Amino acid sequence: MVRSFLIKYAEIGVKGKNRYIFEDKLTSHIHHSLKRLDGDFSVIKESGRIYAHASSEFDYDEVVSALQCVFGIAGICPMVQIEDKGYEDLKEQVLKFIDETYPDKNFTFKVDTRRANKQYPHTSDQINRDLGEIILETYPETKVDVHHPDVLLHVEIRGKNINLYSLVIPGPGGMPVGTNGKAMLLLSGGIDSPVAGYMIAKRGVTIEATYFHAPPYTSERAKQKVIDLAKLVSRYSGPIKLHVVNFTDIQLYIYDKCPHEELTIIMRRYMMKIAEELAMKDGCLGLITGESIGQVASQTVHSLAVTNEVCTLPVFRPVIGFDKQEIVDISQKIGTFETSIEPFEDCCTIFVAKHPVTKPNLDLIKKSETKLEEKIDEMLKQAVETAEIIRC
Ligand code: ATP
Ligand code: MG
């Protein structure tokens, strides 16, 4: 019976010193994700391998789903680990493994043996042939196919233990979170920004988030939706420190002083500024947004250039070249879509002009912003200082 999982990870780019960092982070993330489930697991790193062994009852599907959220995992192999008690016992155990794993014996197979223990008294070829023979004899419906088998049975002889597995369930891929610095996600209640956060976390980046809240124009429910989204992303990224910035006064001030068709772009420049300040305070090395070229007026290339001008940190925009449907597909896959489409107002849409500029001119925008000189610095400072922190 399956009591263990062999965790496969892609080793490309994981060399030298980085390899240990990568493996240790991955081991620790697997440990944490399994700790939340029912059952006791030990997660061990052993000569270039990571295993999760259960020492109590557990829910198989729950374990697989949890592991499918851990970035860095390329494949999950449910495995039976047996002790080496001689050749005859190995044959028996293999037959039992086949019987339990495949109730329907109408399949083609191939046995693939690897010996880390070269002392083992039979060669890999011999073992492949002997095991193949006994499987065919015991289950006559099966057939051998060495080129494209339905079932590729791996037999790994390692020291005193022998691993048997045949299934490789795809993992999420990517790199373990925490192996590649930290970045600040501008998280709204929409579809795009949770996807953007997921994509950057997948590359090993730790995520913090900033949400711009505009009470009473945006409700507590809208804020809760963002918290819910952060929690959904945190299933993959690990805990997210969410900064909730009260943006109402700044929005009203801009609304009062600046041309309404420039409102969105000016507002977005201040959002980026505040997010960058919070990012730098916490050691984030970049910003992340869910912007995609051409999706709305504030995301034309001209608008993006004007927004970007306020930032000194690099801005990562992982969905920049995606169509909406492509972003929706990812949000459905990662489970954020249903929450993202809940109908709660967004602070950007409330103050939006009927005809926002689509080709803003940087000089004109800066000129409009001079009308804010009197109070804006103090307001920005206030917004940063009073940001509420929610651990998601
Ligand atoms: P999303 O689906 O992510 O809300 P969107 O298509 O609605 O994106 P915009 O509203 O123009 O696009 O926002 C572009 C990006 O700016 C968002 O993806 C997000 O990163 C950031 N953003 C927008 N509104 C907020 C907000 N209220 N708080 C934090 N970030 C925001
Ligand atoms: Mg939005």
Side-chain angles (χ1 to χ4, degrees):
M1 212 187 55
V2 167
R3 303 207 63 83
S4 301
F5 295 85
L6 166 63
I7 311 295
K8 297 204 163 177
Y9 48 88
E11 291 190 48
I12 301 160
V14 186
K15 300 231 169 76
K17 209 174 94 212
N18 288 337
R19 179 180 179 126
Y20 291 97
I21 298 171
F22 184 103
E23 289 175 341
D24 288 350
K25 284 277 185 208
L26 186 53
T27 307
S28 132
H29 293 329
I30 292 169
H31 178 76
H32 278 100
S33 78
L34 296 179
K35 216 168 73 178
R36 288 199 293 264
L37 310 181
D38 289 334
D40 297 316
F41 299 89
S42 56
V43 181
I44 52 169
K45 197 178 105 171
E46 193 186 283
S47 42
R49 287 296 185 74
I50 297 174
Y51 297 104
H53 298 294
S55 52
S56 67
E57 291 303 308
F58 64 95
D59 181 331
Y60 177 91
D61 293 332
E62 202 181 62
V63 169
V64 171
S65 313
L67 293 174
Q68 281 182 317
C69 292
V70 180
F71 292 135
I73 295 181
I76 303 153
C77 311
M79 179 188 95
V80 169
Q81 191 167 65
I82 58 169
E83 244 181 87
D84 178 12
K85 291 185 189 158
Y87 207 39
E88 291 312 307
D89 183 66
L90 171 62
K91 291 181 191 169
E92 258 173 54
Q93 299 284 355
V94 163
L95 291 176
K96 192 166 152 226
F97 176 83
I98 292 284
D99 196 30
E100 280 175 5
T101 317
Y102 303 99
D104 176 3
K105 305 292 185 296
N106 252 308
F107 58 78
T108 63
F109 74 95
K110 176 185 173 179
V111 181
D112 180 55
T113 304
R114 300 275 156 101
R115 292 183 313 164
N117 172 8
K118 301 287 180 204
Q119 310 295 312
Y120 199 79
H122 305 273
T123 64
S124 300
D125 271 349
Q126 187 66 47
I127 301 168
N128 288 341
R129 271 193 305 247
D130 291 345
L131 292 177
E133 201 172 300
I134 194 148
I135 294 170
L136 285 171
E137 258 171 38
T138 313
Y139 306 116
E141 311 94 292
T142 63
K143 285 191 198 69
V144 168
D145 180 344
V146 292
H147 299 295
H148 303 288
D150 301 325
V151 174
L152 178 59
L153 172 65
H154 295 272
V155 178
E156 297 182 342
I157 302 176
R158 300 168 76 86
K160 285 201 183 67
N161 292 327
I162 302 177
N163 297 334
L164 307 177
Y165 66 92
S166 56
L167 263 179
V168 185
I169 302 163
M175 318 271 284
V177 171
T179 54
N180 218 334
K182 185 159 71 169
M184 178 65 79
L185 169 67
L186 281 86
L187 181 62
S188 68
I191 295 170
D192 309 326
S193 46
V195 170
Y198 165 90
M199 288 176 75
I200 297 299
K202 188 174 176 201
R203 302 310 304 159
V205 180
T206 303
I207 301 284
E208 287 195 17
T210 300
Y211 166 58
F212 294 92
H213 189 37
Y217 304 98
T218 57
S219 63
E220 275 305 298
R221 197 57 197 80
K223 174 175 152 189
Q224 186 58 44
K225 176 181 170 184
V226 174
I227 296 170
D228 293 345
L229 284 170
K231 285 195 176 137
L232 290 172
V233 174
S234 80
R235 289 186 305 177
Y236 299 90
S237 67
I240 294 178
K241 179 179 176 185
L242 172 67
H243 307 253
V244 179
V245 173
N246 188 323
F247 203 48
T248 314
D249 291 348
I250 296 177
Q251 272 190 315
L252 291 174
Y253 190 46
I254 302 171
Y255 192 75
D256 195 30
K257 302 278 182 195
C258 301
H260 287 184
E261 62 278 11
E262 291 175 0
L263 207 70
T264 305
I265 200 85
I266 293 174
M267 205 175 72
R268 294 197 54 73
R269 280 162 60 87
Y270 285 110
M271 275 189 181
M272 297 300 258
K273 256 191 205 173
I274 294 170
E276 179 166 278
E277 191 122 338
L278 292 168
M280 285 173 163
K281 272 190 12 180
D282 275 5
C284 296
L285 301 173
L287 302 175
I288 307 163
T289 75
E291 289 160 313
S292 152
I293 291 174
Q295 210 185 73
V296 287
S298 58
Q299 297 176 25
T300 62
V301 170
H302 305 76
S303 300
L304 288 167
V306 171
T307 310
N308 200 71
E309 195 262 348
V310 298
C311 303
T312 54
L313 288 179
V315 182
F316 306 131
R317 299 178 172 92
V319 300
I320 194 72
F322 284 8
D323 293 342
K324 192 73 188 184
Q325 189 56 47
E326 291 171 308
I327 305 172
V328 166
D329 289 346
I330 300 176
S331 79
Q332 281 172 329
K333 188 185 85 180
I334 67 174
T336 52
F337 182 73
E338 292 303 326
T339 305
S340 288
I341 59 171
E342 287 174 4
F344 300 108
E345 66 293 337
D346 180 338
C347 71
C348 307
T349 48
I350 288 160
F351 295 91
V352 83
K354 277 211 181 64
H355 301 289
V357 283
T358 53
K359 287 190 184 175
N361 174 297
L362 183 58
D363 293 332
L364 291 180
I365 295 289
K366 282 185 164 172
K367 196 161 161 239
S368 301
E369 285 176 355
T370 60
K371 297 178 192 137
L372 305 169
E373 269 168 358
E374 191 191 334
K375 290 202 217 156
I376 196 73
D377 288 346
E378 185 50 37
M379 290 176 116
L380 290 176
K381 190 163 161 260
Q382 177 86 1
V384 167
E385 280 171 3
T386 59
E388 180 192 2
I389 288 171
I390 299 172
R391 309 258 167 198
C392 300

